[in-house]
Amino acid sequence: MAEDKGEGKEDYKLEANSELRFEVEAGATVQLELAEGKAEIFGTELTTNRKCTFLAGAKVAVYTWHGCHIKLSGRTDVAYISKDTPMTIYVNTHQALEQMRHIAEEHVTRGPRVLVVGPTDVGKSTLCHLLLNYAVACGHSPVFVDIDVGQNDIAIPGTLGAMVVERPADVEEGFSLTAPLVFHYGHNSPAQNPTLFNILVSKLGEIINTKCNEIKKSNYSGVIINTGGWVRGTGYDAIKHAAGAFEVDVVIVLDQERLYNELKRDMPGFVKVILLPKSGGVVERNRNIRTEFRDQKVREYFYGTRNSLFPHTFEVPFAEVKIFKIGAPSLPASCLPLGMKTGDNKTKVVPVTIGPTVQHHIMSISSASSVDHNILEANSLGFIIITGIDMEKQKFTVLSPSPRPLPKSILLMSDIQFMDIE
Ligand code: ADP
């Protein structure tokens, strides 16, 4: 394994079945070019002589099945070639799923529904990405579901989402987000409100069943579900709940034998539980990096991955919206109103008084038209941030991806905050 701290231009000759791993230094960018041979990044094939730019903090692996020549320019934190990768095992897994898809198509049944679980930083999102890309390359349109509320790949942190994947991910921009279905959860860990989390997972499961019944191609292609790293106690129960809600028939456990054995014991017999190794390239992220990553996701939502979007700023009179948050502080059982159970407080839709405390919070615009609708299970139309409050004028200023007016008037407040500073 050759290790390197890249400063300028570097040439890497990769043998068959090896990968070049690199991280982009803070404040820098790295350009990559495939000069010869064939290579892929997390399942997306690279085009020869096309330069791709990776931004600060990106952690990338360029894998080659038959050997290639890669040129890197820019400042990398680390760059090395490894021959020790689980790619053959991952591709075999894809092939097994492919067989299930063919059988589904032949017998007009449902394709594989795969739940990817494991602790944090084992490459769950990367494996989902890879399996989706390979499925698309084989002509399928799988559904991607992301219930990782901390590091969500479909929308922003604090949400759960689903979308149909019809094209391979772009190596620089990721999957194109056409019409994703997104639900507001409002926290960056499922542990903060497991009751609400499980309700939203059930809701997504129901919608996906309906959609798959309508869109035959997605039904054969199957569903790939990414999860967060919460695997113990209530987190384990949430995994079992998700397996049931999405009616999965395959559970892939990355890198944790204990979780694998527990799931083998607890899943119904028709569910295949598979243990896969993690790649040595997966980079562990500490709490600070996680927070930075979440901020970056929110910034990307408003400004685009490469500052290609131009968000709007405008004033909204307090009277034009109603803000709610989901979940009230828990009361001791003896203080509960008649007929209310402990746990009901977790799904309570609580009005929020507009004032300085709402500033910087992410707000999702609910598709619910009135408070009489089921706000809890209404999907999100988009997100805004309240960047300023004028109590005197009874107006607040928002950062919004689209111009005024807001499409609906019910806003759900997230715990997660974002300060719009460059
Ligand atoms: P998880 O979803 O389990 O938290 P991720 O799939 O998000 O883990 O991976 C964590 C980080 O490691 C990501 O930044 C990803 O790009 C990087 N990564 C994954 N696989 C590799 C690899 N083989 N080489 C280098 N970096 C990798």
Side-chain angles (χ1 to χ4, degrees), residues 301-302 310-316 320 365 383-384 398-408:
Y301 174 79
F302 290 102
F310 299 95
H312 301 258
T313 297
F314 52 89
E315 284 187 333
V316 180
E320 276 185 15
I365 305 172
F383 303 90
I384 55 168
V398 297
L399 180 72
S400 159
S402 44
R404 91 174 78 215
L406 296 177
K408 293 267 179 178

Side-chain angles (χ1 to χ4, degrees), residues 19 21 59-61 121-126 279 281-283 285:
E19 74 184 15
R21 297 171 183 160
K59 298 161 189 19
V60 186
D121 298 336
V122 288
K124 296 182 297 301
S125 319
T126 309
S279 162
V282 178
V283 186
R285 295 169 286 196

Side-chain angles (χ1 to χ4, degrees), residues 19-23 42 57-62 80 85-87 90 118-128 148 151 153 226-229 254 279-285 290 293:
E19 74 184 15
L20 168 66
R21 297 171 183 160
F22 65 89
E23 288 181 48
F42 306 137
K59 298 161 189 19
V60 186
V62 191
Y80 65 93
T85 92
M87 282 293 279
Y90 292 174
T120 42
D121 298 336
V122 288
K124 296 182 297 301
S125 319
T126 309
L127 179 66
C128 290
D148 181 355
Q151 319 276 332
D153 273 341
N226 183 37
T227 60
L254 271 171
S279 162
V282 178
V283 186
E284 279 184 26
R285 295 169 286 196
R290 259 173 229 288
F293 186 82

Side-chain angles (χ1 to χ4, degrees), residues 42-62:
F42 306 137
T44 303
E45 210 174 308
L46 295 178
T47 312
T48 320
N49 297 327
R50 191 195 130 196
K51 288 197 169 96
C52 321
T53 306
F54 294 91
L55 306 179
K59 298 161 189 19
V60 186
V62 191

